[in-house]
Amino acid sequence: MAQSFVPQQPGEPPGTPPHGTPPPGTPPHGTPPPGTRPPGTHPSASEATRLLCAGTYLDDGFRDAVIDQLYVHEERFAAPSLGYDASRVLAHALRARRVELGWAAGVLALWIVAFPLTKGLVVLLVAPFLMLGIARWIRGRATTAATPVYRLVPAFLLRWYGRLMLLQGALFLLFLALGDEEDRWELLGDLSETGEFVGALTQLAAEEVWGVGRLEAWIALAVPLLVAWAVAVQRGQFARALTQELSRERFPDQRADPAEQADGARSRRLRDRIRIEQHARLVMYGADDPFCGAGEPYEPWSLSVELRPRKNLDGKAPEPLDNSAVMRHVVPLVEALRVPSPHGSPQLRAAVRDRLRELEIDEVVFLPVDGLPARTAAPYTPEGFEAHRSGSIEEGGETRRHFLRIRVGGWGEEIVTTVFVRVHTQGGMLMLEVAPHVLRPVKPLYRYADRIAHRYRHNHHFGKAVWALGQTPRSAGQALVTLWRALGHAWRLLTAGHAHALPEGPGVSVRELASDDEASLFQEMDVSRYLKSIQDRVANGVTVALREAGYETAEFEQKIVHVAEGGTFIENTRGNVTLGNHNTVTNKTFTTSTPGGDRG
């Protein structure tokens, strides 16, 4: 059985075999050797996890996607969680949905009860609110500059028509509440001449005016105020969650997190499964997206070279060169990136905060889910992983693949750079595959969660009231959407048969769903530096392995050539790529001569 070439990692990286999970709030164990790296933050307490949890309160679409992927589709494996804890994100998504469902049911009940209590007078407010909601839907969520004219114009007209209707309806209800019967009829006659739609509403009210008293009018006026109060309290509850249990000070204490304690048996069972799967070195994948969870591919490349014995071996045969032998030379060079360069004093050296000090290296095996009878049948035990690792490293199979995974988490795990390296020797050839992937920062809305919550909680009462009243027209529609989505989840749980379905690979990664399309210039520079450093060390390790085994390295060095300012030339499957600035690349192409032709 082949021996693992990756030594024990300092601290507790995500690649630790999942024979057990740390209890909530437990910091990473182990003390790193001097000069290697400081202990990293546990994924459940990382900044990326905190922001993803905050996103479940701010973005209902993201919250529903998390619940659908990790809670409804029980047959799907969890995608690898690089630098974050998906189980904790699910806990907060379920908690946010419970809170929102409670308030949605309350808001909808207020509107429903208002009809019999006001004897239909509340329709004078419901109609303009519906108009304002339709105007908002037509306009969409885009900014004014990006919204097309064919949306802006009808939305503008409907919005102002709805505001006029709302003003007339409110004045009419106020007059009914304060005026006498003679004044009511005079006002009804004036309002009925203002327009067909408003006239029809006022005529409807006129037919019932003799049976409507001041109490019904006051109730009709109080309903939108009560709805606004409910909207404000829900917003305050979300803001409190963001500024208290999701604050930077309290979030690392997982035991004190209310979301971890308030769920039922199904949620606890699924979150335990996620904790086992998300940080395992055995990656169960679906054929459509094997690298699901790692982010976007970042210029993957591969090359192959002929294994030719060196001429100066004095008649000795070169040593056998297998995949493990090559990786044993690569790993120490990559590990050396953790060590700070020489400084003037040990104190200065220990103060280096380069994220390469927290670089993580582990072996992973990609295994297809096809053929498994159930999700719980995946061989996540240490013995099961070792059997697949030792069997896959030399076989060079198509579906079961062995990779060296090199990961650097920067910016609080918001920028995650992962390089997958695979080496295979076959037929006197050495093949090297390198697949870099990058997880970009979370969406700006989630990054600004602290600011949004702080601004709301510290706003004065008048500002909160104005905001809540502005949300009142869409409250009933939003409540209906919330209840409909929850019913859809419940219906699929009852009827779709996910609990006993054949297992599937991850459908989506919640981290990728929450990723932004862009990164800052500083972050892009860090990604480029991490990738250049890692790829250079990988190339050097392969070169050393070839040389020490007694093989020619000229062909390999021609395909990976170090040029000015540390750039690297790589023969890519899509062409020649240079990494670095101010590089000069000369590409000479030779074609076989044909009759009547010349060799170029």
Side-chain angles (χ1 to χ4, degrees), residues 249-300:
E249 294 76 19
R250 291 181 54 180
F251 187 72
D253 187 4
Q254 191 171 352
R255 284 193 179 95
D257 192 343
E260 293 284 340
Q261 306 167 2
D263 291 330
R266 175 186 174 86
S267 174
R268 288 194 298 269
R269 174 171 56 83
L270 290 177
R271 293 202 333 259
D272 288 342
R273 291 300 308 169
I274 293 171
R275 289 192 180 103
I276 293 174
E277 297 168 357
Q278 65 178 352
H279 296 150
R281 294 190 291 170
L282 187 67
V283 180
M284 306 301 300
Y285 72 93
D288 295 334
D289 189 6
F291 288 104
C292 180
E296 296 182 1
Y298 200 98
E299 297 182 356

Side-chain angles (χ1 to χ4, degrees), residues 2 27 105 118 132 175 186 193 253 261 309 319 359 367 459:
T118 63
L132 292 173
F175 194 80
E186 183 178 353
E193 299 175 356
D253 187 4
Q261 306 167 2
E319 299 176 2
L359 178 143
L367 196 66
N459 196 5

Side-chain angles (χ1 to χ4, degrees), residues 33 92 101 161 178 213 311 347 351 356 371 374 458 461 479 509 529 593:
H92 278 273
L101 276 177
Y161 188 60
L178 298 175
K311 297 179 180 179
Q347 292 77 13
L356 286 174
H458 290 79
H461 295 298
S509 164
R529 180 168 62 87
S593 61

